[in-house]
Amino acid sequence: MKNQGCEGDRSDGVSVLDLTLHFQNTNDIWKLCDRAWSPQCKITIKAVIINILSAIWSARNNARFNNKVTHWKSSITWIISSTSLAGNKSNCVASSSITDFLILKRLNVTIHPPKAPIIKEIWWQPPMDHWVKCNTDGASNKTTSSCGGVFKNHNTEFLRGFAENTGLMSAFKAELCGAMRAIEIAHSKNWMNLWLESDSILVVKAFSSSVLVPWALNNRWRNCRKLSSSMNFVVSHVYREGNQCVDGLANIGVTP
């Protein structure tokens, strides 16, 4: 970092910001932080400014009160060391900008790259032999709601599907209706090994905590739980990306 009066210092190739700066007052100094730096670069530059002012103040007091002259190289070493500590301790992240890269490296700051997105592999898993799997979903708008489901066997063969308007103005209630309808259909078809899968975590939790079920659906829910207790029954959660087919069926019921 240099100002207009330090052009001669360019011969050593060291210029942290690679800018010619004009400072008329302290406000001009802080305006430097308003540039489009990355968060980590910005906080590092703030640390540079604070440490420069602190080094000047310290050198001035040593000269005035202790009659000691601080060598400029010693001050620069202290400034870079203190700035490096601040930049490395920060939780802020840098950008992929080459300018940010050069500034942080010249100040001995370890670059904190942006957090990479978490990638999860999602796929539909078929049931075991002699089992039937049903994926269910629900959808709602301002006036109505619906549910849908698809039954498949261990060979991923389509057995049956359903899409029903529930008339309820709640997505969660529609999701529960889809789960209950799946149990009712499976029991009527004598599919006694049933794997139910939903993209609603609340629906999955409702099977272990009935207090989550709205009172309006409580009687039907108890009947379905009685049916499922006579079956080999499991329930699991799947991400929406693995439930897209049923999501389309559920949306049919709310489409004008």
Side-chain angles (χ1 to χ4, degrees):
M1 186 161 53
K2 63 185 182 61
N3 60 25
Q4 193 177 21
C6 297
E7 288 293 333
D9 293 338
R10 292 289 290 184
S11 59
D12 61 2
V14 177
S15 176
V16 174
L17 300 184
D18 198 24
L19 294 172
T20 299
L21 305 175
H22 302 271
F23 296 147
Q24 302 297 327
N25 51 52
T26 55
N27 288 333
D28 290 340
I29 297 176
W30 293 111
K31 284 180 181 178
L32 177 63
C33 300
D34 295 334
R35 293 174 177 265
W37 312 112
S38 68
Q40 188 185 15
C41 194
K42 183 174 290 188
I43 199 168
T44 301
I45 292 172
K46 286 181 180 179
V48 169
I49 295 173
I50 292 171
N51 288 323
I52 288 175
L53 296 176
S54 178
I56 294 172
W57 178 83
S58 178
R60 173 183 175 275
N61 284 351
N62 269 333
R64 173 172 293 186
F65 301 112
N66 300 324
N67 199 28
K68 293 182 180 179
V69 177
T70 304
H71 197 281
W72 64 270
K73 287 187 177 181
S74 176
S75 295
I76 289 178
T77 299
W78 181 85
I79 291 168
I80 293 177
S81 176
S82 300
T83 301
S84 175
L85 181 63
N88 287 325
K89 289 292 184 180
S90 167
N91 292 325
C92 297
V93 298
S95 69
S96 57
S97 165
I98 188 63
T99 302
D100 283 14
F101 174 83
L102 293 174
I103 291 171
L104 294 174
K105 281 301 180 184
R106 286 167 177 167
L107 292 169
N108 296 331
V109 174
T110 301
I111 294 173
H112 300 161
K115 292 182 180 179
I118 298 175
I119 299 175
K120 292 186 177 181
E121 187 177 7
I122 301 171
W123 70 92
W124 184 87
Q125 183 179 352
M128 299 173 288
D129 289 354
H130 310 299
W131 277 68
V132 171
K133 184 175 184 180
C134 183
N135 284 74
T136 63
D137 198 6
S140 67
N141 58 24
K142 293 181 179 180
T143 58
T144 189
S145 62
S146 66
C147 63
V150 170
F151 291 87
K152 291 184 179 181
N153 62 18
H154 65 278
N155 291 320
T156 70
E157 295 171 335
F158 175 81
L159 300 178
R160 176 170 174 168
F162 66 90
E164 300 177 359
N165 185 285
T166 63
L168 302 171
M169 298 176 62
S170 165
F172 176 52
K173 290 179 181 179
E175 297 267 11
L176 287 172
C177 285
M180 291 187 290
R181 186 65 179 130
I183 294 172
E184 291 166 349
I185 291 174
H187 192 271
S188 68
K189 292 289 185 181
N190 203 32
W191 294 333
M192 303 307 287
N193 300 320
L194 177 64
W195 178 3
L196 179 68
E197 195 166 61
S198 170
D199 59 23
S200 170
I201 294 178
L202 283 177
V203 168
V204 176
K205 288 183 176 180
F207 281 92
S208 58
S209 179
S210 59
V211 296
L212 296 174
V213 180
W215 67 268
L217 299 177
N218 201 40
N219 287 338
R220 185 183 178 189
W221 181 259
R222 289 177 181 272
N223 291 334
C224 285
R225 292 297 286 132
K226 186 175 181 179
L227 293 178
S228 65
S229 65
S230 65
M231 307 161 63
N232 294 319
F233 176 77
V234 294
V235 59
S236 63
H237 173 261
V238 64
Y239 288 99
R240 185 171 298 275
E241 291 81 0
N243 214 34
Q244 291 182 352
C245 179
V246 215
D247 182 64
L249 276 176
N251 282 312
I252 292 176
V254 294
T255 304

